[in-house]
């Protein structure tokens, strides 16, 4: 039995009657808003960031490493943090605590949202629908692709765990 999945037109109704591109824009705006909140919480906490619940969880040395990145690269680090998973959620707090120029922070975070959100949204959308199209044509190939993906992810996570343990030891 052959079932074809067509990649939906991003301008047509996608979810709750809204087109996919509008969901992407809403996600970008929400992320931009979250980055502004992170900055101002960090700005308000200042040195107390180290002793806050999140600061204790992150660890003083990790926060200092992020501080060094911000001190070296400034607003460019804010843009770059979008592309580094854990840094994306820690750097804005530190930028606020270090009092990075807010106008430059806004520009860098806006550019980050304008580039990172569409790349990930449309990229993941394409991967998912592409895999479904492959599954419709060849379930065995889709299964092999899924197994290869899970194996690669498992290998990466094991490598990262070993690396982390080696750094601690």
């Amino acid at each position: 039995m052959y079932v074809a999945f067509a990649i939906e037109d991003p301008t047509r109704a996608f979810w709750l009657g809204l087109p996919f591109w509008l969901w992407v824009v809403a996600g970008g705006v929400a992320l931009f808003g979250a980055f502004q909140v992170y900055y101002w919480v960090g700005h308000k906490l200042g040195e107390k960031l180290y002793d806050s619940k999140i600061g204790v969880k992150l660890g003083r040395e990790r926060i200092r490493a992020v501080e060094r990145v911000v001190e070296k690269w400034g607003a460019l680090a804010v843009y770059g943090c979008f592309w580094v998973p854990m840094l994306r959620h820690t750097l804005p707090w530190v930028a606020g605590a270090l009092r990075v120029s807010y106008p430059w922070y806004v520009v860098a975070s806006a550019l980050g949202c304008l580039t990172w959100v569409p790349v990930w949204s449309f990229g993941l959308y394409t991967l998912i629908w592409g895999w479904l199209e492959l599954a419709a044509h060849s379930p065995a190939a889709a299964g092999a692709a899924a197994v290869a993906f899970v194996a690669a992810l498992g290998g990466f996570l094991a490598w990262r765990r070993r690396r982390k343990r080696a750094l601690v030891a």
Side-chain angles (χ1 to χ4, degrees), residues 1-57:
M1 181 174 152
Y2 174 74
V3 179
F5 294 97
I7 295 177
E8 296 293 324
D9 176 3
T11 60
R12 294 186 50 198
F14 176 75
W15 190 52
L16 297 177
L18 298 174
F20 183 67
W21 69 267
L22 193 56
W23 284 105
V24 172
V25 169
V29 169
L31 184 61
F32 179 76
F35 259 63
Q36 304 322 300
V37 169
Y38 291 163
Y39 177 90
W40 287 108
V41 168
H43 191 271
K44 179 78 172 157
L45 286 175
E47 284 294 315
K48 295 176 191 171
L49 178 65
Y50 292 111
D51 300 324
S52 70
K53 189 174 183 179
I54 194 166
V56 169
K57 186 175 181 179

Side-chain angles (χ1 to χ4, degrees), residues 43-159:
H43 191 271
K44 179 78 172 157
L45 286 175
E47 284 294 315
K48 295 176 191 171
L49 178 65
Y50 292 111
D51 300 324
S52 70
K53 189 174 183 179
I54 194 166
V56 169
K57 186 175 181 179
L58 287 172
R60 190 171 288 268
E61 190 49 43
R62 283 186 181 161
I63 295 173
R64 288 197 203 283
V66 174
E67 283 180 348
R68 288 190 294 273
V69 170
V70 172
E71 288 168 351
K72 182 176 182 180
W73 296 98
L76 189 58
V78 175
Y79 175 77
C81 81
F82 279 87
W83 305 95
V84 181
M86 291 310 292
L87 200 57
R88 181 172 44 251
H89 300 289
T90 55
L91 192 134
W93 301 78
V94 173
L98 291 177
R99 310 292 199 266
V100 167
S101 166
Y102 187 66
W104 282 111
Y105 177 86
V106 168
V107 169
S109 58
L111 288 173
C113 289
L114 285 171
T115 55
W116 184 83
V117 170
V119 166
W120 276 97
S121 299
F122 288 107
L124 286 176
Y125 181 82
T126 301
L127 281 174
I128 290 167
W129 281 103
W131 184 84
L132 289 173
E133 186 71 27
L134 178 63
H137 286 38
S138 174
V147 167
F149 173 76
V150 169
L153 181 62
F156 171 75
L157 293 174
W159 169 79

